[in-house]
Amino acid sequence: VSTQSTGYRAWSAIVYSLIPNIEQLSAHLNAFCNICEADEVVLFERSTFLVISHASMRQHQDIHRFEKISNIIKQFKLSCSKLQTQFGTMEIRNSQFTGFIHELTHNTFVMVIISDPSIHSAATFININNARSHFDKLVANEE
């Protein structure tokens, strides 16, 4: 395990410990994952892209996937800032899954991974947009 990986996990653990109602947030994230029929939903802190919480409906073999995703998105955000534009949403599709990364609250981004090809992107974006006010209220109660 690299020092960088250990550092990422340590900082994620610190962020996790600073969220007062993390159990409630995690429960709502699980419900959101079920509503979206997603394989996995991950909530990231906006500026650092550290994991706040996640919900998984299936096992994943790559235990470092959150760190890898975080590094990719941070590099992409850096590229966007060099072009004087802001990162807001991303959709990645291949033969095995569709991944969505979208702003959820003022301080968070959500990643939704769906392997069912019959679920349309528009439905997932509607679910994310509809969940926004719910998670805004949930996060506001934590502050």
Side-chain angles (χ1 to χ4, degrees):
V1 176
S2 73
T3 306
Q4 187 177 17
S5 178
T6 306
Y8 180 85
R9 281 188 286 179
W11 280 111
S12 287
I14 290 169
V15 168
Y16 183 87
S17 71
L18 293 174
I19 308 292
N21 298 331
I22 194 66
E23 293 85 14
Q24 184 181 16
L25 182 63
S26 295
H28 287 262
L29 211 56
N30 270 306
F32 180 65
C33 191
N34 284 320
I35 289 167
C36 290
E37 298 181 46
D39 298 342
E40 187 166 41
V41 173
V42 183
L43 191 64
F44 292 99
E45 192 277 330
R46 179 185 190 94
S47 60
T48 62
F49 257 81
L50 292 168
V51 173
I52 294 171
S53 185
H54 74 280
S56 297
M57 296 302 142
R58 54 177 262 204
Q59 289 290 93
H60 297 276
Q61 294 179 349
D62 187 355
I63 61 170
H64 301 289
R65 67 190 179 283
F66 299 143
E67 181 180 2
K68 291 174 184 176
I69 292 163
S70 176
N71 287 331
I72 291 167
I73 296 301
K74 285 190 281 188
Q75 288 299 314
F76 185 74
K77 285 176 62 177
L78 185 61
S79 296
C80 289
S81 68
K82 287 179 182 177
L83 296 172
Q84 298 181 346
T85 185
Q86 288 208 337
F87 170 72
T89 187
M90 177 186 292
E91 179 178 343
I92 303 158
R93 181 180 302 270
N94 67 24
S95 62
Q96 297 178 339
F97 69 89
T98 303
F100 305 88
I101 299 176
H102 201 288
E103 183 178 5
L104 185 63
T105 70
H106 181 68
N107 296 317
T108 64
F109 274 85
V110 67
M111 179 179 73
V112 180
I113 303 296
I114 297 177
S115 60
D116 183 346
S118 70
I119 298 174
H120 294 280
S121 298
T124 302
F125 281 119
I126 288 170
N127 284 332
I128 293 169
N129 285 327
N130 288 340
R132 182 172 286 125
S133 65
H134 175 76
F135 280 93
D136 271 335
K137 290 175 189 170
L138 192 61
V139 170
N141 288 336
E142 293 176 355
E143 295 174 347

